[in-house]
Amino acid sequence: MVLTDDNFATIIKAVESGRNIYENIKKAIQFLLAGNFAAILVVIVASLMSLPVPFAPVHLLFINLLTDSLPAIALGLESYHHDVMGEKPRPVKESILTKDFLIRIGVEGGVIGAVVLAAFLIGYRDGNKVLAGTMAFAVLCLSRLLHGYNCKAKKPVIFTGEFFNNRFMQGAFLAGFVLLTVVLTVPVLHDFFVVQTLKMGELLTVYGLSGLSMLVIQGLKQVVKF
């Protein structure tokens, strides 16, 4: 680089690019770990409460293969930010999973897990395991899709232009939402995915709880700045 372009500005651009790539990798890791922690947390709590297992294996397969992969890729394609140059250089031997990073993942996973468990308990009021599993599965899918927006920045982005600045994220969310809707509304798929058609009230509950998880996490970013 020095031999072909003896301009110190090139070095600055290279460092800025490297820092942004590193941050985008962390965003993807944060998204994946928080979502998976939420699912594990729900299963553990349900077991401790002597409740049925909330998710069928096909639910987790659907989430990991479809609604997880696209947002994670989209986060890796986030726009670069010039403010990374204002941060102090990280220690050479510092792990990507720092204490603060793990706390952030734990809190976000806990919030998502709480709304998923709430959906499961609401669906299980009449002892209907399929309804409970359907609601838990739907809330987990949608909450994780929305969580992709939470991972875009350490600060709240919900009412800023940054919320819409990544067309890949918009496409990932739309694709995941459409796939989830197809699974929930096409009767021929219900037996395979172990779900049932949701009534309007149940569907609104799914949307409300999923949106609540995002609002809580965005609020925590504003108040606690974790």
Side-chain angles (χ1 to χ4, degrees):
M1 180 179 65
V2 174
L3 290 175
T4 58
D5 183 4
D6 57 346
N7 187 339
F8 282 107
T10 304
I11 299 175
I12 296 173
K13 291 180 180 178
V15 172
E16 180 181 335
S17 179
R19 288 188 174 188
N20 274 294
I21 291 171
Y22 183 79
E23 286 300 315
N24 285 353
I25 291 173
K26 287 187 68 175
K27 292 172 185 177
I29 292 174
Q30 177 185 349
F31 170 78
L32 293 170
L33 291 185
N36 285 315
F37 176 67
I40 293 171
L41 189 63
V42 171
V43 172
I44 292 175
V45 174
S47 298
L48 293 175
M49 296 174 65
S50 299
L51 295 171
V53 177
F55 311 111
V58 69
H59 293 165
L60 301 178
L61 185 63
F62 177 89
I63 292 170
N64 288 324
L65 291 181
L66 298 175
T67 59
D68 262 7
S69 57
L70 295 178
I73 294 171
L75 285 169
L77 299 172
E78 274 288 297
S79 301
Y80 286 0
H81 297 280
H82 298 296
D83 55 4
V84 295
M85 297 303 291
E87 300 177 1
K88 295 180 180 179
R90 65 181 183 278
V92 176
K93 296 184 179 180
E94 180 183 83
S95 169
I96 195 169
L97 298 177
T98 61
K99 180 181 178 181
D100 291 343
F101 189 54
L102 289 173
I103 290 175
R104 194 182 314 149
I105 290 170
V107 172
E108 293 171 351
V111 172
I112 295 172
V115 297
V116 173
L117 184 62
F120 182 77
L121 293 174
I122 292 171
Y124 194 61
R125 285 178 301 180
D126 298 325
N128 188 337
K129 293 189 295 184
V130 177
L131 174 60
T134 301
M135 293 186 67
F137 163 65
V139 171
L140 181 60
C141 278
L142 192 52
S143 294
R144 292 175 76 158
L145 287 171
L146 289 171
H147 187 53
Y149 294 98
N150 292 326
C151 297
K152 287 171 65 69
K154 295 179 181 178
K155 63 182 186 299
V157 298
I158 190 170
F159 296 119
T160 68
E162 193 171 350
F163 189 86
F164 298 104
N165 69 346
N166 185 344
R167 67 180 185 277
F168 300 105
M169 180 61 71
Q170 309 303 330
F173 176 82
L174 181 61
F177 182 78
V178 169
L179 288 170
L180 176 61
T181 302
V182 169
V183 169
L184 294 177
T185 58
V186 178
V188 71
L189 297 176
H190 287 181
D191 288 340
F192 180 78
F193 284 99
V194 196
V195 297
Q196 70 177 57
T197 302
L198 299 179
K199 298 176 182 177
M200 182 57 66
E202 296 161 349
L203 194 59
L204 291 176
T205 300
V206 167
Y207 292 152
L209 289 173
S210 302
L212 178 62
S213 69
M214 182 180 184
L215 292 175
V216 169
I217 293 173
Q218 289 289 298
L220 288 173
K221 287 179 180 289
Q222 178 65 40
V223 177
V224 183
K225 300 184 185 300
F226 68 97

